[in-house]
Amino acid sequence: MPAQNKDEGGWKKFVWNSEKKEFLGRTGGSWSKIFLFYLIFYGCLAGIFIGTIQILLLTLSDYKPTWQDRVAPPGLSHFPRSDKAELIFSPDDVETFLKYTKVMKDFLAPYDLESQRDQMKFEDCGDQPQTYKERGGLESDMGVRKACQFSKTWLGPCSGIEDRDFGFSEGKPCLIVKLNRIVNFRPKTPKTNDSIPEEAQYKVQSHVIPIHCTNKKEEDAGKLGEVKYYGIGEGFPLQYYPYYGKLLHPQYLQPLVAIQFVNITLNTDIRVECKVYGENIYYNEKDRYQGRFDIKLGVHRS
């Protein structure tokens, strides 16, 4: 028992030594110096961290990526789009294509001309291909820029206005295609026809980025049938570029191209590849949507 009392007294004395006025073996002055040291030490670390972040923020722009030279060329997107990159349906069964037409209707909703009447936000850039629509530099004090109007009526039978099924119920499906947005990117038309398939060379014209679809596999040659293109110049007109970003171009609408397969071979799944052609548009086999896309298309009738 005395030994136990002695141990208890030693432990209590270590926590608080009333004779030396020590707490956990240190006096108040010693604890004050340690606290002051760590306060200064961590204060300096926090100051360095905050200063570094502030310096970094000074190098960033609110309107464009700092390292835009590392941004890949634009991807090519299409609607409708499935996870398996295939559109297999039957014109005789609405349920097989209803999800596709719903996606297309939702996507085209902002392209209703009634939504683009505000002249403070939109301007008429014409329905013929023109050169770039320059609206000042990104860092200028011009504020929010106007966007070019794009009417879905230009997409013809693929607009969803007269044919609410976008050709699916007739076995003539449509795809709506767009180039993905890149801030301040200016697509350039092809310099020559060398990079364009012979059957698509007629598409080359001033102020338009052409698009062309064909069968991806040789064994599908002749099965795709006629392909029709709708939109300004049947491609992507340059007056819709450059894009100034979400802050400066909140109402921006990308130009669209509608592609319709009017007499595709029935009851056969065909791998279709669509490409856009331009001087500064490239392709990457590891990225199936960079400058192109491919999709399995099948129209099946019983």
Side-chain angles (χ1 to χ4, degrees):
M1 293 297 293
Q4 185 177 0
N5 292 335
K6 183 178 179 181
D7 291 341
E8 289 180 356
W11 179 79
K12 292 179 179 178
K13 191 172 184 179
F14 172 73
V15 175
W16 172 248
N17 190 327
S18 59
E19 296 176 359
K20 298 182 179 180
K21 305 298 182 182
E22 291 179 346
F23 176 69
L24 296 178
R26 292 184 179 275
T27 63
S30 177
W31 280 115
S32 299
K33 292 177 182 178
I34 291 176
F35 178 77
L36 181 62
F37 168 79
Y38 281 106
L39 180 64
I40 296 174
F41 176 72
Y42 286 111
C44 290
L45 288 181
I48 292 173
F49 176 76
I50 295 173
T52 302
I53 295 299
Q54 291 299 322
I55 293 173
L56 176 63
L57 291 176
L58 291 176
T59 67
L60 301 179
S61 170
D62 292 332
Y63 308 111
K64 65 177 180 179
T66 301
W67 303 109
Q68 198 163 359
D69 57 329
R70 300 182 184 181
V71 177
L76 192 66
S77 300
H78 63 85
F79 294 87
R81 181 175 175 177
S82 66
D83 295 335
K84 296 182 179 180
E86 60 181 31
L87 292 179
I88 310 297
F89 70 97
S90 171
D92 305 318
D93 186 356
V94 176
E95 294 299 323
T96 62
F97 60 81
L98 186 61
K99 58 183 177 181
Y100 301 144
T101 57
K102 182 181 184 305
V103 168
M104 298 175 78
K105 290 174 185 176
D106 293 342
F107 174 71
L108 288 175
Y111 288 86
D112 190 332
L113 202 55
E114 290 300 320
S115 303
Q116 307 172 46
R117 295 296 187 188
D118 191 341
Q119 296 184 359
M120 298 297 294
K121 299 178 180 179
F122 295 95
E123 62 179 309
D124 184 0
C125 297
D127 57 0
Q128 296 299 319
Q130 300 176 30
T131 190
Y132 306 111
K133 194 74 173 180
E134 300 291 351
R135 296 180 173 87
L138 290 172
E139 304 292 345
S140 68
D141 57 357
M142 296 181 63
V144 175
R145 318 300 161 84
K146 290 184 179 181
C148 285
Q149 295 173 331
F150 190 99
S151 174
K152 62 183 181 182
T153 60
W154 298 336
L155 302 179
C158 296
S159 64
I161 298 175
E162 296 181 0
D163 182 0
R164 303 291 291 176
D165 292 329
F166 298 92
F168 281 85
S169 60
E170 298 178 0
K172 301 177 181 180
C174 293
L175 294 180
I176 307 297
V177 184
K178 67 180 180 67
L179 275 174
N180 293 346
R181 302 176 182 183
I182 296 181
V183 176
N184 210 33
F185 178 73
R186 292 166 174 77
K188 298 179 181 179
T189 56
K191 278 189 175 181
T192 65
N193 288 344
D194 296 340
S195 62
I196 302 177
E198 184 176 351
E199 63 271 19
Q201 292 181 2
Y202 75 95
K203 293 175 174 289
V204 177
Q205 56 181 305
S206 299
H207 311 319
V208 174
I209 301 298
I211 182 172
H212 182 67
C213 300
T214 186
N215 53 284
K216 186 175 178 65
K217 298 181 178 180
E218 293 184 4
E219 57 264 32
D220 290 332
K223 298 179 182 179
L224 189 59
E226 182 183 6
V227 181
K228 291 186 177 181
Y229 304 84
Y230 301 96
I232 299 179
E234 299 183 5
F236 301 100
L238 299 186
Q239 68 257 41
Y240 287 84
Y241 302 94
Y243 166 56
Y244 286 84
K246 291 183 178 180
L247 291 179
L248 297 179
H249 232 162
Q251 309 298 329
Y252 177 76
L253 294 174
Q254 293 151 282
L256 305 176
V257 175
I259 302 171
Q260 186 173 30
F261 305 92
V262 295
N263 58 350
I264 190 171
T265 302
L266 300 177
N267 303 321
T268 302
D269 294 343
I270 303 171
R271 180 62 68 175
V272 181
E273 182 178 61
C274 298
K275 282 186 175 182
V276 287
Y277 299 92
E279 183 183 347
N280 56 348
I281 295 178
Y282 311 101
Y283 317 104
N284 188 334
E285 291 301 322
K286 296 181 180 180
D287 186 350
R288 64 189 304 170
Y289 289 100
Q290 183 173 312
R292 66 183 179 91
F293 70 82
D294 65 83
I295 186 172
K296 182 187 291 186
L297 187 60
V299 181
H300 294 262
R301 288 186 181 273
S302 56

